[in-house]
Amino acid sequence: MRHEEGGFSAGSVLLSFLLGGMVGAGLALLLAPQSGVETRKRIREFTDDVREKVTEYVGQTKEKVVSTVEKGKHLVEEKKSALTAAFEAGKEAYEKEVHK
């Protein structure tokens, strides 16, 4: 991920915040006064919810990475062809000057 001026990207900060919130919610479930059956049920529901959100976040991140890589490849190809054309034009100009 891209580092910003503060040293961390927005995605890293968001992921850290979400993970911290999930850990806090999990601890709240474990420390709440309720029966063991109810606690296990809530932990299972919580775990399923976290798994779903993480899977969604990973999917979105993967899409962004693939998109960025594709844009980068396109940019490299574009600049490569422009550089090659400029090099060939310079080479032709040099040849013309040498043969005058």
Side-chain angles (χ1 to χ4, degrees), residues 6-58:
F8 299 101
S9 69
S12 297
V13 172
L14 178 61
L15 182 60
S16 298
F17 179 75
L18 288 173
L19 289 175
M22 289 178 206
V23 168
L27 287 174
L29 283 174
L30 291 173
L31 298 175
Q34 55 195 352
S35 71
V37 173
E38 182 65 26
T39 301
R40 287 190 295 275
K41 178 183 172 192
R42 290 184 71 184
I43 289 173
R44 191 175 315 110
E45 290 170 354
F46 175 76
T47 304
D48 291 342
D49 187 44
V50 168
R51 183 179 297 127
E52 182 180 314
K53 287 179 182 179
V54 168
T55 302
E56 181 181 323
Y57 179 77
V58 168

Side-chain angles (χ1 to χ4, degrees), residues 89-100:
K91 189 174 164 183
E92 288 176 15
Y94 174 77
E95 292 294 327
K96 286 180 183 178
E97 287 297 318
V98 169
H99 293 307
K100 276 189 177 182

Side-chain angles (χ1 to χ4, degrees), residues 76-88:
V76 166
E77 286 300 319
E78 185 180 289
K79 298 301 179 186
K80 181 180 173 183
S81 63
L83 185 59
T84 301
F87 179 75
E88 290 299 323

